[in-house]
């Protein structure tokens, strides 16, 4: 059973009308994309992702066009996830710099 359900609707010429449903299923955050209409024709079907898996898929998109298409499909959620990805990357870079700094300090102490 799904809980914490939040629905957002996106509309674009590329994807049509999509309901993006964020919810918790079996304790894990999920995202469902329900395709409602394409070129004005009602559709049935959609896609489902674990939220973290979707975030990983967005992180490896190559090219501005792919990112733009994801933003059109997922709307505001895509922008939120892409911002999280940027923050995660910045955090990883800070950790790497701190580790390098510690390594240099240890080497300096060893040489002294």
């Amino acid at each position: 059973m799904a809980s914490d359900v939040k629905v957002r609707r996106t509309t674009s010429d590329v994807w049509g009308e999509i309901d993006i449903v964020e919810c918790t299923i079996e304790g894990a955050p999920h995202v469902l994309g329900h395709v409602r209409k394409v070129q004005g024709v009602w559709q049935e079907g959609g896609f489902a992702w674990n939220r973290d898996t979707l975030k990983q898929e967005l992180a490896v998109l190559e090219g501005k066009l792919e990112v733009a298409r994801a933003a059109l499909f997922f709307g505001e959620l895509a922008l939120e996830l892409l911002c999280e990805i940027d923050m995660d990357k910045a955090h990883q870079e800070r950790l790497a710099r701190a580790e390098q700094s510690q390594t240099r300090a240890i080497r300096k102490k060893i040489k002294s």
Side-chain angles (χ1 to χ4, degrees), residues 70-89:
L72 288 173
F73 188 89
F74 293 105
E76 190 175 321
L77 175 63
L79 302 177
E80 291 171 7
L81 291 174
L82 290 168
C83 286
E84 287 179 22
I85 291 164
D86 283 345
M87 289 188 297
D88 292 346
K89 286 179 182 177

Side-chain angles (χ1 to χ4, degrees), residues 43-58:
Q43 304 291 312
E44 289 297 325
F47 310 92
W49 298 266
N50 174 289
R51 190 178 191 279
D52 289 335
T53 302
L54 175 59
K55 188 173 163 182
Q56 291 170 2
E57 289 180 15
L58 291 174

Side-chain angles (χ1 to χ4, degrees), residues 8-12 15-20 71-77:
R8 304 179 200 194
R9 179 157 298 154
T10 64
T11 304
S12 72
W15 295 109
E17 190 176 296
I18 311 290
D19 279 345
I20 300 299
L72 288 173
F73 188 89
F74 293 105
E76 190 175 321
L77 175 63

Side-chain angles (χ1 to χ4, degrees), residues 7-111:
V7 180
R8 304 179 200 194
R9 179 157 298 154
T10 64
T11 304
S12 72
D13 290 340
V14 174
W15 295 109
E17 190 176 296
I18 311 290
D19 279 345
I20 300 299
V21 181
E22 295 178 75
C23 61
T24 301
I25 300 173
E26 297 180 1
H30 281 72
V31 176
L32 311 173
H34 176 238
V35 180
R36 295 176 48 84
K37 289 182 185 178
V38 176
Q39 296 179 347
V41 178
W42 287 97
Q43 304 291 312
E44 289 297 325
F47 310 92
W49 298 266
N50 174 289
R51 190 178 191 279
D52 289 335
T53 302
L54 175 59
K55 188 173 163 182
Q56 291 170 2
E57 289 180 15
L58 291 174
V60 297
L61 290 180
E62 295 181 9
K64 295 176 183 178
L65 187 57
E66 285 183 336
V67 172
R69 285 185 175 145
L72 288 173
F73 188 89
F74 293 105
E76 190 175 321
L77 175 63
L79 302 177
E80 291 171 7
L81 291 174
L82 290 168
C83 286
E84 287 179 22
I85 291 164
D86 283 345
M87 289 188 297
D88 292 346
K89 286 179 182 177
H91 180 70
Q92 291 299 321
E93 289 171 2
R94 283 192 300 275
L95 289 176
R97 284 194 302 271
E99 186 176 317
Q100 289 171 349
S101 178
Q102 287 176 341
T103 302
R104 283 192 299 271
I106 291 169
R107 286 181 183 160
K108 189 175 183 179
K109 281 186 178 185
I110 292 172
K111 288 181 180 181

